[in-house]
């Protein structure tokens, strides 16, 4: 762990749906960072992830908390609720990561450290040093295609636009017009990135090793993929109508 990682106070938002088996390992990894607290945003997971999170909340008061959502379920909606909550907290950095251990808590130190010189940091699979472990070729191709597509349509100069491992300086995040965000699925990630870039905030990427989930099930659906195809065009179309 670097000195920078120790010093920056951060809240890590983790959207969860049926991640009961992964949660203890994730929380243990995150709590190794002294100035990090965890905000689990759970959508009433049938496997009891939310209740397990509450148990950690009791064991680690002030460091682990669960936001129990009851309105329509969704990755993007959960991230948004987490971001809205985190923005009101007394922290320097607001981070987002998956709860299925694809994102290694060990990579968080480098992400937090990079946020000293950037408004937004992306944990990137597609810059030198970045890696993906155990993805089938079909998944790799889909992700590669998505990134080329998003970069072409939105003209973003970011290598990994769809990474869900990221961090903002809280003061920078407050400048992003969150009320305009309309995506629900993974295109939430593209939309947040585009809107961050449009605020002329500094975006950096640091390499991460992404490991395909070993436990639990994927929630990637056709609807989410279709939304991802449409969102970049919607963002371009609305470019002149605000940020
Ligand atoms: N709160 C909430 N979290 C969700 C929802 N869908 C997915 N998640 C969480 O968002 C994170 C990413 O979802 P994954 O299912 O891992 O999606 P993925 O990484 O594209 O798919 P895999 O590669 O199969 O893991 C995980 O922590 C999920 O538990 C949802 O509807 N609500
Ligand atoms: Mg995953």
């Amino acid at each position: 762990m670097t000195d920078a990682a120790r010093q920056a106070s951060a809240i890590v938002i983790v959207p969860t749906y049926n991640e009961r088996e992964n949660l203890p390992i994730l929380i243990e990894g995150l709590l190794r960072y002294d100035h990090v607290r965890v905000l689990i945003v759970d959508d009433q997971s049938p496997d009891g992830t939310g209740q397990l999170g509450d148990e950690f909340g009791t064991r680690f008061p002030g460091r682990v908390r669960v936001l129990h959502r009851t309105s329509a379920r969704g990755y993007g909606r959960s991230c948004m609720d987490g971001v809205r909550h985190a923005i009101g907290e007394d922290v320097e950095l607001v981070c987002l990561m998956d709860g299925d251990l694809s994102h290694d808590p060990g990579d968080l130190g480098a992400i937090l450290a990079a946020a000293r010189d950037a408004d937004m940091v992306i944990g990137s699979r597609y810059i030198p040093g970045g890696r993906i472990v155990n993805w089938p070729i079909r998944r790799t191709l889909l992700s590669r295609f998505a990134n080329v597509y998003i970069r072409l349509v939105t003209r973003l100069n970011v290598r990994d636009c769809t990474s869900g491992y990221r961090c903002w300086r809280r003061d920078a995040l407050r400048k992003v017009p969150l009320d305009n965000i309309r995506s629900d699925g993974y295109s939430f990630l593209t939309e947040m990135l585009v809107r961050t870039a449009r605020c002329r905030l500094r975006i950096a990427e640091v390499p991460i090793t992404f490991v395909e989930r070993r436990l639990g099930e994927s929630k990637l659906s056709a609807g989410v993929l279709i939304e991802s195809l449409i969102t970049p065009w919607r963002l371009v179309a609305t470019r002149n109508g605000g940020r």
Side-chain angles (χ1 to χ4, degrees), residues 75-116:
Y75 169 82
R77 292 188 185 105
S78 297
C79 293
M80 268 319 298
D81 284 358
V83 164
R84 282 185 204 285
H85 178 95
I87 261 177
E89 294 280 295
D90 181 22
V91 284
E92 277 175 79
L93 306 173
V94 176
C95 307
L96 177 66
M97 73 188 290
D98 288 354
D100 60 352
L101 303 177
S102 285
H103 296 152
D104 181 357
D107 284 333
L108 187 66
I111 292 176
L112 298 179
R116 287 189 148 187

Side-chain angles (χ1 to χ4, degrees), residues 99-152:
D100 60 352
L101 303 177
S102 285
H103 296 152
D104 181 357
D107 284 333
L108 187 66
I111 292 176
L112 298 179
R116 287 189 148 187
D117 304 313
D119 297 308
M120 178 184 186
V121 180
I122 297 174
S124 179
R125 298 161 289 185
Y126 301 131
I127 58 170
R131 283 204 317 138
I132 297 176
V133 177
N134 282 346
W135 254 13
I137 186 79
R138 180 176 49 84
R139 195 71 199 269
T140 310
L141 289 174
L142 185 65
S143 175
R144 283 288 190 176
F145 169 78
N147 270 286
V148 171
Y149 180 84
I150 291 164
R151 281 163 53 88
L152 277 176

Side-chain angles (χ1 to χ4, degrees), residues 2 59 72 177:
T2 63
R59 260 174 67 193

Side-chain angles (χ1 to χ4, degrees), residues 19 98-103 135 139 186 210-213 217-219:
E19 302 292 359
D98 288 354
D100 60 352
L101 303 177
S102 285
H103 296 152
W135 254 13
R139 195 71 199 269
Y186 300 104
F210 180 100
V211 184
E212 173 60 336
R213 67 158 72 242
E217 281 170 22
S218 172
K219 289 105 205 169

